[in-house]
Amino acid sequence: MGFNPSPSDPFIELMRPPPDETPAQTTARQKRELDAQRVSDKIDEEIKQERLLAKKEKNIIKVLLLGQSESGKSTTLKNFRMRYAQAAWEKERDGWRSVVQLNIVRSIITILGVVDAEMNGEVLESEDEEEGGMTGDAHETVKFSDKHQMLMIRLAPLRGVEAELKRRLGAGTEPIQPSLPMTATPFDDPADNLGLRRTAPEFSVRSWKEVLDPGDRLPQLQNAGGDSDSVTLTIAGCKDDMKILWDDKMVRLALKRRKLRLPDSAGFFLNDLERIATRGYTVSDNDIVRARLRTVGIQEHRLKFQHGPWDNPKQVGKESGWEWRIFDVGGCRTSRAAWLPFFDNVNVIIFLSPVSVFDQRLEEDPRVNRLEDSIILWTSICSSKLLAKTQLILFLNKCDLLRRKLKRGIKVNIYLPSYGDRPNEVIPVVKYFREKFKDIQKQYSPQHRSAYIYPTTVTDTEATAITLESVRDGVLRENLATSQLI
Ligand SMILES: Nc1nc2c(ncn2[C@@H]2O[C@H](COP(=O)(O)OP(=O)(O)OP(=O)(O)O)[C@@H](O)[C@H]2O)c(=O)[nH]1
Ligand SMILES: [Mg+2]
């Protein structure tokens, strides 16, 4: 569309050709007008496209999952995908088999390390009391016998399996700094000084997509873990010995003495060996949600939501529903610098704070209490001017582990004196954390806003489905209201 002034427009006079124009001048003028028209049409087209895009972008919601490492960000993303991106979820199912197998093998290798250390006489100097005194059996002498020696020999092939699984999953991964124990580490624990409970560095991925849905990019992963795969065969062959090792009383005692609480740690599957360490193992939804693969860098996942009761199709356009672009980040301290560029135009932050970690320290910096780290992060997110208009959603996660910990008698007020003499039970503890996080949000937000706070156990997919529905409706409602103001 060119510039087409009306006859009364003063511009007509200005643009009218001179009365004594020669034929050559007329041709040149017409050429110039044509060129100008082309440029103008191009600009018009660009503006039209930009407007279309802007209209479309109104239906895009950018969601950031934030929180320290092991807070449950990727697990939350898995819940979203399981529920709202079923086709992609199914496509990746088989890819998770290798991850679950690696999780199992690593647990067994951790146990073998403990048995080895005990056999070699690396005895703890002090048996301190994590939870108000050790129970009687922890003081029993740990005695390993020929049986354990044999188990060590028979399970040795699992080291090769670990290497092979790492190689397979290796594409798109990078090592991270060595981690401290996989489980709770109470402060001033002398076992730390002996370095006995350290485990090998955790495995991480830069891109799920490459590892779990290799297509033809990673031929070595196709059919990996199938019935006749060497890794699966070796694991199935070791099943009985793994079970004997895990069920062994002395092994349990040794783990307890070293406060290695495997069932509470990431990627624990040893109670499912009968089902998983088999040739025909098929990966369940629950396995995927519980499998542990550390995130490095930022991964983007897209979800489509069709129109629902939360919006009005007339107002958001008939052609599409809402698209959520969810960004899952690595949570350890060294990964956090990469978060900043993603703060731009972010609509929603789902922040995960694990509430069970009040007595633990950061893997990457053992001087720092994990809950304290989470509170510092939350405070900086709430006070960020860049995020002043971002909707904040807080998951107080790992409530199941909190419950277990409190049941074992670990006292919150030892680690948080401000908790005072409130009851050492889940509901009051979660309420206390809720108030604490809410107060910070109110105090530090640059402008008025409310935060939605949910107590969660994101490995419980049924309960999480209800939470996610509420999150989805709340987010869409709020964004619809905002987009109507634009
Ligand atoms: N018991 C229990 N385990 C959980 C819960 N949430 C997450 N997990 C487990 O904790 C481990 C870590 O969870 P991830 O989702 O990988 O943690 P992340 O925040 O993505 O961690 P990074 O990728 O290192 O930043 C996984 O093995 C999960 O299955 C929970 O509410 N309860
Ligand atoms: Mg992650």
Side-chain angles (χ1 to χ4, degrees):
M1 203 207 310
F3 177 64
N4 191 18
S6 76
S8 61
D9 194 309
F11 274 108
I12 286 191
E13 294 307 316
L14 216 63
M15 293 173 74
R16 203 185 294 282
D20 52 350
E21 192 178 58
T22 63
Q25 283 172 330
T26 304
T27 312
R29 177 178 55 79
Q30 283 172 340
K31 187 176 177 302
R32 279 200 306 277
E33 282 176 6
L34 210 67
D35 286 349
Q37 186 70 56
R38 265 195 220 112
V39 172
S40 169
D41 285 352
K42 196 166 165 244
I43 291 171
D44 280 351
E45 184 56 28
E46 277 170 13
I47 290 172
K48 202 171 135 197
Q49 289 303 329
E50 271 166 23
R51 285 205 179 122
L52 267 177
L53 194 71
K55 204 171 162 192
K56 241 181 161 178
E57 292 262 320
K58 260 170 83 174
N59 290 2
I60 293 177
I61 297 178
K62 191 172 159 189
V63 182
L64 265 185
L65 287 164
L66 297 182
Q68 64 186 205
S69 187
E70 282 198 32
S71 54
K73 299 178 293 300
S74 301
T75 312
T76 300
L77 175 67
K78 287 178 196 169
N79 277 276
F80 268 117
R81 285 164 58 76
M82 184 170 85
R83 198 159 167 71
Y84 300 113
Q86 278 168 357
W89 177 257
E90 284 307 327
K91 218 166 152 205
E92 288 178 1
R93 182 180 299 278
D94 283 348
W96 284 103
R97 188 185 289 121
S98 300
V99 180
V100 174
Q101 288 174 331
L102 181 62
N103 284 178
I104 283 189
V105 168
R106 284 178 59 83
S107 295
I108 294 290
I109 289 175
T110 300
I111 297 175
L112 293 180
V114 168
V115 175
D116 194 38
E118 293 269 342
M119 279 183 160
N120 288 315
E122 289 178 32
V123 179
L124 294 177
E125 281 165 2
S126 148
E127 288 159 355
D128 79 329
E129 38 343 70
E130 159 184 333
E131 15 214 271
M134 282 195 137
T135 52
D137 62 355
H139 286 292
E140 277 179 36
T141 319
V142 177
K143 279 195 207 114
F144 287 119
S145 60
D146 291 351
K147 168 188 157 188
H148 300 97
Q149 197 82 50
M150 279 309 294
L151 282 174
M152 298 226 353
I153 293 168
R154 290 212 296 260
L155 291 172
L158 292 182
R159 293 186 194 276
V161 167
E162 185 194 24
E164 171 60 16
L165 284 170
K166 279 185 176 176
R167 192 188 65 77
R168 286 181 185 177
L169 292 167
T173 67
E174 64 180 41
I176 56 149
Q177 62 206 87
S179 58
L180 280 170
M182 294 157 74
T183 51
T185 313
F187 295 117
D188 305 316
D189 177 357
D192 269 356
N193 303 329
L194 301 174
L196 293 176
R197 301 181 322 175
R198 283 167 195 265
T199 56
E202 225 186 328
F203 211 54
S204 55
V205 292
R206 190 163 272 288
S207 162
W208 263 9
K209 290 188 186 102
E210 258 182 38
V211 173
L212 301 174
D213 181 18
D216 39 13
R217 276 165 294 149
L218 293 175
Q220 77 268 28
L221 261 188
Q222 286 172 346
N223 210 17
D227 295 2
S228 56
D229 172 64
S230 65
V231 161
T232 304
L233 287 179
T234 312
I235 290 177
C238 288
K239 183 180 81 182
D240 290 340
D241 286 332
M242 289 194 284
K243 281 175 70 181
I244 293 171
L245 184 77
W246 174 236
D247 291 339
D248 186 81
K249 189 171 174 245
M250 284 301 148
V251 167
R252 296 287 180 101
L253 206 55
L255 291 174
K256 190 164 186 175
R257 269 161 49 86
R258 284 158 201 267
K259 301 194 189 100
L260 258 180
R261 222 167 270 286
L262 289 183
D264 291 353
S265 66
F268 176 76
F269 289 99
L270 294 187
N271 287 339
D272 302 280
L273 284 169
E274 192 59 48
R275 176 176 62 87
I276 295 178
T278 58
R279 289 176 62 170
Y281 165 52
T282 39
V283 190
S284 70
D285 285 346
N286 202 262
D287 294 342
I288 300 178
V289 167
R290 283 160 52 215
R292 166 66 174 159
L293 206 51
R294 183 189 285 261
T295 315
V296 172
I298 312 263
Q299 300 177 19
E300 182 187 336
H301 294 262
R302 296 182 182 195
L303 299 181
K304 277 264 182 209
F305 291 105
Q306 295 312 316
H307 293 297
W310 55 86
D311 66 15
N312 178 351
K314 271 190 208 141
Q315 283 158 329
V316 293
K318 284 193 210 82
E319 73 288 346
S320 61
W322 292 86
E323 180 177 282
W324 283 29
R325 300 212 177 140
I326 307 187
F327 295 86
D328 180 24
V329 304
C332 73
R333 284 194 157 185
T334 46
S335 297
R336 293 181 195 166
W339 298 1
L340 200 64
F342 289 81
F343 284 6
D344 199 25
N345 287 327
V346 57
N347 305 93
V348 184
I349 284 180
I350 300 179
F351 184 84
L352 284 106
S353 179
V355 283
S356 59
V357 298
F358 62 87
D359 63 337
Q360 289 174 247
R361 287 181 278 178
L362 283 182
E363 279 188 10
E364 61 268 38
D365 186 351
R367 291 165 306 176
V368 181
N369 173 269
R370 281 189 65 184
L371 183 67
E372 226 173 276
D373 175 70
S374 208
I375 288 176
I376 291 170
L377 258 182
W378 175 246
T379 310
S380 62
I381 286 165
C382 290
S383 36
S384 162
K385 289 202 179 69
L386 265 177
L387 301 172
K389 290 187 179 148
T390 302
Q391 186 178 351
L392 296 182
I393 293 170
L394 172 65
F395 282 10
L396 295 174
N397 195 34
K398 300 203 175 182
C399 286
D400 61 329
L401 294 183
L402 174 71
R403 176 170 282 112
R404 297 223 290 257
K405 209 168 248 187
L406 299 180
K407 261 195 179 157
R408 291 204 304 269
I410 302 181
K411 298 265 181 280
V412 173
N413 61 7
I414 290 179
Y415 300 90
L416 286 169
S418 61
Y419 189 70
D421 54 6
R422 295 173 178 86
N424 204 55
E425 288 160 16
V426 168
I427 293 176
V429 171
V430 170
K431 187 166 173 265
Y432 174 80
F433 287 145
R434 190 189 179 102
E435 291 307 317
K436 202 169 176 66
F437 279 88
K438 202 169 158 187
D439 286 350
I440 292 172
Q441 189 275 123
K442 274 195 185 148
Q443 190 184 340
Y444 289 92
S445 285
Q447 60 187 52
H448 172 76
R449 70 176 150 189
S450 49
Y452 300 77
I453 304 177
Y454 299 89
T456 57
T457 292
V458 295
T459 40
D460 176 346
T461 51
E462 274 177 36
T464 307
I466 297 168
T467 305
L468 293 193
E469 241 170 67
S470 157
V471 166
R472 177 199 64 185
D473 292 354
V475 166
L476 292 176
R477 224 172 261 129
E478 189 138 323
N479 277 273
L480 184 71
T482 317
S483 68
Q484 281 169 354
L485 295 177
I486 292 171

